[in-house]
Amino acid sequence: MKLSTAISLLAGAAPLVSAAAAPRLERKMNYDGYKAYSIATHHNPAAIKAKLTRFAAIPFNLDNDEHLDIAIPAEEVAAFEALGLETQLMHEDLGADIAEEGTFAPYTSVGAQAVPSLTWFNSYHAYADHITFFNDLQASFPNASEIFTIGKSFQGRDIFGIHIWGSGGKGSKPAIYFHGTVHAREWISAKVVEYITYHLLTQYATDAAVRAIRDKFDFYILPVVNPDGFVYTQTNDRLWRKNRQTRSGQSCVGTDQNRNWNYQWSVTGGASTSPCSETYKGLAAGDTPEIRALTAFTTTLKNSRGIRLYIDWHSYGQYILLPYGYDCSARASNHAAQSSLASGMATRIRQSYGTTFTTGPSCSTLYKTTGSAPDYMTAVGGATYAWTIELRPAGSSGGGFVLPATQILPSSIEQWEGIKYVLAQV
């Protein structure tokens, strides 16, 4: 899709439509030879977009004021580079990097006989293996965890999670609530929440700090809340973002699940009404089966022991984003406490590998979002803290969504250190 088409669909200021959002159904997308660049916008992204209208560019990021990350087809690279824009190269050959990232290590079930090996985090894996990994992990700790499902995706897949508890017994403490892989192409998010899950279970008996936080909270961790989209990224299009919902009378597929929650859904400027957009909000708030199921489960947690901390794990950019996204002047009632806690987490993350995370309210720090999960969790779900964490890499380098498998463990380790700090404070 030419960027001129994307801009006309979204009235200029809205996020660009990626070719990944085009109505190609089951066609296999080939990114061989594409080069990806991060373009400095100097706070004038509209001027850069205007220069790109003649290219079949695929945008990676959405309305970032400082840089625009895009992929350019091989046959247009020379003309693009002739523009003389200030760029950093993200992928020399996007297709080759996708192929390398998608070389999945095999996973063989260990059942209840042994805890899965940490080698799980040396590679990305097929969706079915994620299910097996969680079943194996839970089977190793049957008296402190259980697998649960909250409903079905549009294509009928289970939306599953794991519930972990400590000495107080099942369901006796406030909830820590994590979502991963809301946006299908953000593979690293599943790995990070899996690493946290792994260590919550395996270190309880030997680490006093882990034991303290397990005894203080019940954990509800859903690693892949967009299973249809996630599977599609592994079979057809690595850069697919949305779910795979079809709608009568619409040729384009999918709704952005992080624009479909029933809080400030109707506010303009933070989502798109175009079905072909990557930020398509749907026809009505909560009209995707995945968000209906997640909303019902959130209500159950709220009405039980309450939600102390919610985190929506995403990539990329290295941000810890606080409420709110729908209005750049809106703040949570406990904003000062949230800001202090996020800053402390960023400091703890940095101690592992020197990775820097930016903190601040979602709208004013990054861009406007409406119908988002953290806004809903704050205003409706009653969560004391509700954040989006955008994982590695920073936007200007490192691969964007296609993060090398060698980055899985460092990303996971630094987040584990950060979340231990947070859980000790809340």
Side-chain angles (χ1 to χ4, degrees), residues 374-420:
D375 282 11
Y376 180 91
M377 297 296 170
T378 301
V380 183
T384 308
Y385 303 89
W387 299 348
T388 296
I389 294 183
E390 298 279 357
L391 297 164
R392 290 189 184 196
S396 60
S397 62
F401 301 115
V402 186
L403 189 68
T406 55
Q407 293 289 302
I408 294 172
L409 272 172
S411 299
S412 300
I413 289 167
E414 67 191 11
Q415 292 300 316
W416 171 237
E417 294 303 318
I419 203 64
K420 282 192 295 181

Side-chain angles (χ1 to χ4, degrees), residues 144 164-166 200-201 204 210-217 219:
I164 301 169
W165 57 88
L200 284 171
L201 285 169
Y204 180 79
V210 174
R211 187 160 56 252
I213 59 178
R214 273 267 303 274
D215 290 344
K216 187 178 177 183
F217 300 111
F219 290 81

